[in-house]
């Protein structure tokens, strides 16, 4: 605590009196707020001090720091470094210019045995002065802080009397190498090098180079976000994809004015390219901080849930996974396509709440090798974050080994395992009171539905999803309302924990189709009946005033 704090050389460390903010509770993935909120005097400092107080790093501790380059990163980086020094942290590893993608930060924490990491990003949320900023906190395993820790940080923020910061000039972050800030070493590292090396150790780069030499064409959309430098180094320089294969590769603080969210709506330029008559063989996009991926074939979209299943089914073609998979996991709303692969492989499949932090224990305990979420997130035990470019390389490795177009590969997968039609409808910017009220009424209503027949389906069960972590026994409840049908179809309702304006209701729909003759339907048509049921039971229109979702993925 401030009074008994002793730093090594804290001559210039100031203790600043502050008042707690009531709203610093991290959500699904870090603390996310409008830039204007973070700009309030003491707001960032309060949260960072709460993080340092809660983590209580050893005096010689190492902190990894970086971000997605979005607006306000440049203001926040020197503040955090001066606070780290004033809090007696021994060493800070910082990506050059403050850049580190979320998966690269995870990889750096693990590689250098750091004690914690701070990632400055609001992920796929819009950037710029009117946009969002965020702070993610990671632990020594390289993964997002578990709920117990984020709740402790929040509790600390509610009672924070002071914070500590150095009165010193900013450290230059544009040159590689060490310097000192009071008693702390600041080591500026290449943000790409360690990550690229890890990728080379997992995938058959020789086969990928041969693939590109044979004329295979790819379009990678970095969405003017953090993956540009990573993709250019790995795809173009190391693997020989033609120059220009990476589009929108230059990171910009406002991501070029569009949300850096890799889906069919926001990556429309890529979608247009992949639908053109001369489309490349493969298309992909990553989000603001590089942990999400969207995978496209020629005029063909792979749902993230199917992508996870395909990676699991074909994993052994990649050298890093040649020994097979220990198990897999998916978030609850993610389709059950991967469950069928796990069953065929005879390995366990875990169902976790939404958010990457829930995979950490399973990965650390070596219970799973691959995991993923429907929200364009896939990853493995190589890191403790989802990893966009990793997923792209994995797909390329599979395509190089199977020598089949992507669409043919996916359709063959459906014939073998059956197809899980899947969609997510987001209703954004809702009145938070109306959204909570909808969920409350729905919880009661769903309880009366088991046994009833609706839309030619019988309801098997309904619940509010609760998860008990098989490793540490911690319980997460209230993780989404589920309506489960006897034929395997599911409807899930959840409120988002990453938005910064109003409430976002997410409606997840899934139906299983074993018959290959019926697997070619349009997804929205195949799910139309379920969509109607979901709207009816939740009284969506009456309660939100919305006739249609704002985003469909
Ligand atoms: C969303 C996604 C979730 C993902 C989270 C963070 O959360 O649904 O699957 O883990 O974003 O992704 P929510 O609570 O809004 O549904 V990222 O790329 O922000 O780190
Ligand atoms: Co992200």
């Amino acid at each position: 605590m401030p009074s008994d704090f002793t730093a090594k050389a804290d001559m210039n460390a100031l203790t600043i009196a502050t008042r707690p903010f009531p709203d610093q509770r991290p959500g699904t993935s870090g603390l996310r707020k409008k830039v204007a909120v973070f700009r309030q005097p003491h707001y960032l400092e309060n949260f960072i001090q709460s993080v340092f107080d809660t983590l209580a790093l050893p005096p010689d501790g190492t902190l990894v720091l970086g971000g997605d380059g979005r607006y306000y990163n440049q203001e926040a980086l020197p503040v955090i470094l001066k606070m780290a020094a004033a809090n007696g942290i021994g060493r800070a590893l910082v990506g050059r210019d403050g850049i580190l993608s979320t998966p690269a930060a995870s990889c750096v924490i693990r590689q250098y045995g750091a004690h914690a990491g701070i990632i400055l990003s609001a992920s796929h949320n819009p950037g710029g002065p009117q946009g969002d900023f965020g702070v993610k906190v990671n632990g020594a395993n390289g993964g997002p802080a578990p709920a117990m820790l984020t709740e402790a940080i929040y509790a600390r923020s509610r009672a924070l009397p002071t914070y500590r910061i150095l009165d010193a000039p900013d450290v230059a972050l544009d040159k590689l190498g060490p310097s000192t800030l009071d008693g702390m070493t600041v080591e500026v590292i290449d943000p790409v090098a360690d990550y690229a090396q890890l990728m080379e150790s997992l995938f058959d780069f020789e086969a990928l180079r041969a693939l590109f030499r044979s004329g295979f064409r790819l379009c990678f959309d970095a969405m003017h976000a953090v993956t540009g430098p990573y993709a250019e180094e790995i795809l173009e320089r190391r693997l020989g994809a033609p120059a220009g294969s990476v589009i929108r590769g230059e990171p910009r603080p406002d991501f070029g004015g569009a949300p850096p969210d890799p889906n069919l709506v926001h990556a429309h330029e890529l979608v247009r390219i992949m639908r053109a008559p001369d489309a490349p063989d493969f298309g992909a996009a990553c989000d603001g901080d590089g942990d999400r991926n969207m995978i496209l074939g020629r005029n063909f979209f792979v749902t993230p849930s199917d992508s996870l299943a395909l990676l699991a089914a074909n994993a052994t073609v990649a050298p890093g996974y040649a020994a097979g998979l220990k198990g897999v996991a998916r978030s609850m709303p993610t389709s059950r396509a991967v469950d069928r692969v796990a069953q065929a492989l005879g390995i366990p499949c875990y169902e976790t709440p939404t958010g990457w932090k829930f995979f950490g224990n399973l990965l650390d305990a070596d219970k799973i090798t691959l995991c993923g979420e429907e929200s364009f997130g896939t990853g493995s035990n190589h890191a403790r974050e989802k990893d966009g470019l990793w997923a792209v390389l994995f797909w390329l490795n599979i395509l190089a080994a199977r020598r089949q177009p992507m669409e043919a590969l996916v359709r063959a997968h459906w014939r073998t395992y059956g197809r899980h039609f899947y969609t997510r409808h987001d209703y954004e910017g809702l009145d938070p009171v109306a959204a909570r009220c909808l969920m409350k009424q729905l919880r009661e209503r769903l309880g009366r539905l088991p046994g009833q027949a609706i839309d030619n389906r019988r309801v098997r069960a309904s619940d509010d999803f609760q998860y008990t972590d098989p490793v540490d026994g911690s319980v997460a409840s209230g993780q989404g309302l589920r309506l489960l049908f006897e034929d395997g179809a599911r409807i899930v309702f959840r409120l988002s924990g990453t938005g910064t304006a109003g409430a976002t209701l997410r409606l997840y729909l899934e139906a299983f189709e074993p018959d290959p003759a019926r697997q070619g339907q349009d997804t929205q048509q195949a799910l139309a009946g379920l969509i109607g049921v979901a709207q009816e039971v939740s009284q969506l229109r009456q309660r939100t005033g919305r006739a249609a979702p704002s985003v469909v993925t």
Side-chain angles (χ1 to χ4, degrees), residues 116-469:
I118 291 180
I119 304 168
L120 305 179
S121 172
S123 192
H124 55 290
N125 296 24
Q130 315 306 325
D132 294 347
F133 184 70
V135 180
K136 302 190 188 194
V137 179
N138 287 34
N141 72 345
M148 228 157 26
L149 206 60
T150 56
E151 286 301 298
I153 294 168
Y154 173 56
R156 179 65 185 142
S157 78
R158 302 287 307 256
L160 191 81
T162 56
Y163 62 83
R164 283 187 299 284
I165 187 161
L166 221 56
D167 181 18
D170 292 0
V171 190
L173 298 179
D174 57 346
K175 300 245 163 16
L176 298 183
S179 61
T180 52
L181 184 58
D182 214 33
M184 182 177 83
T185 304
V186 177
E187 178 121 18
V188 177
I189 59 169
D190 182 323
V192 179
D194 296 305
Y195 177 83
Q197 202 185 339
L198 178 60
M199 293 302 114
E200 274 205 69
S201 74
L202 297 175
F203 301 112
D204 186 350
F205 271 36
E206 204 35 68
L208 297 192
R209 279 190 277 269
L211 183 70
F212 287 115
R213 273 199 306 275
S214 75
F216 183 91
R217 289 189 304 136
L218 151 151
C219 180
F220 178 89
D221 184 356
M223 305 192 86
H224 285 309
V226 80
T227 46
Y230 294 86
E232 280 164 8
E233 171 63 24
I234 296 173
L235 298 173
E236 294 186 0
R237 277 191 283 281
R238 297 199 185 192
L239 294 175
S245 297
V246 176
I247 63 168
R248 301 202 287 167
E250 176 211 343
R252 294 189 189 162
D254 70 346
F255 307 121
D261 194 354
N263 59 40
L264 294 175
V265 180
H266 292 122
H268 44 81
E269 168 68 0
L270 174 69
V271 170
R272 188 189 59 74
I273 292 170
M274 295 309 295
R275 282 187 181 148
D278 61 343
D281 302 279
F282 182 85
C286 288
D287 74 332
D289 61 332
D291 56 0
R292 297 184 177 206
N293 71 91
M294 177 171 70
I295 301 293
L296 301 172
R298 272 198 187 132
N299 203 12
F300 189 76
F301 166 65
V302 187
T303 68
S305 298
D306 276 348
S307 176
L308 176 63
L310 265 284
L311 294 188
N314 295 281
T316 52
V317 306
Y321 306 91
L325 308 176
K326 285 275 169 64
V328 292
R330 61 165 172 82
S331 68
M332 179 274 284
T334 304
S335 102
R336 292 190 286 204
V338 73
D339 300 33
R340 292 180 192 275
V341 175
Q343 201 179 13
L345 293 173
I347 56 173
C349 176
Y350 298 85
E351 184 177 44
T352 59
T354 295
W356 211 260
K357 55 178 172 261
F358 294 103
F359 295 131
N361 278 346
L362 296 171
L363 289 163
D364 286 350
D366 211 18
K367 289 182 178 295
I368 59 169
T369 311
L370 294 188
C371 46
E373 297 190 273
E374 52 64 41
S375 54
F376 299 84
T378 338
S380 86
N381 58 356
H382 73 286
R384 293 295 179 272
E385 291 278 6
K386 53 190 185 275
D387 189 344
L389 206 45
W390 167 90
V392 171
L393 293 168
F394 211 147
W395 264 101
L396 290 171
N397 204 150
I398 291 170
L399 294 174
R402 298 272 183 253
R403 304 211 157 271
Q404 257 180 308
M406 172 195 288
E407 179 171 351
L409 206 68
V410 176
R411 291 194 187 282
H413 184 95
W414 292 339
R415 282 195 297 279
T416 308
Y417 296 95
R419 176 174 184 184
H420 288 257
F421 281 104
Y422 187 82
T423 190
R424 184 177 105 187
H425 290 192
D426 291 337
Y427 292 80
E428 298 173 322
L430 301 180
D431 169 20
V433 177
R436 272 198 303 273
C437 185
L438 178 151
M439 290 296 279
K440 185 171 176 287
Q441 305 266 340
L442 184 61
R443 196 173 289 117
E444 286 155 17
R445 203 151 175 212
L446 291 189
R448 295 196 289 272
L449 295 181
Q452 292 190 27
I454 316 177
D455 186 44
N456 302 324
R457 293 188 156 96
R458 189 166 292 279
V459 178
R460 180 173 69 76
S462 71
D463 67 0
D464 193 345
F465 182 60
Q466 174 170 304
Y467 176 67
T468 304
D469 187 300

Side-chain angles (χ1 to χ4, degrees), residues 488-510:
R490 297 192 303 162
I491 301 176
V492 177
F493 298 85
R494 250 191 92 243
L495 292 180
S496 156
T498 58
T500 59
T504 294
L505 175 71
R506 303 202 195 283
L507 169 56
Y508 310 83
L509 303 127
E510 174 181 3

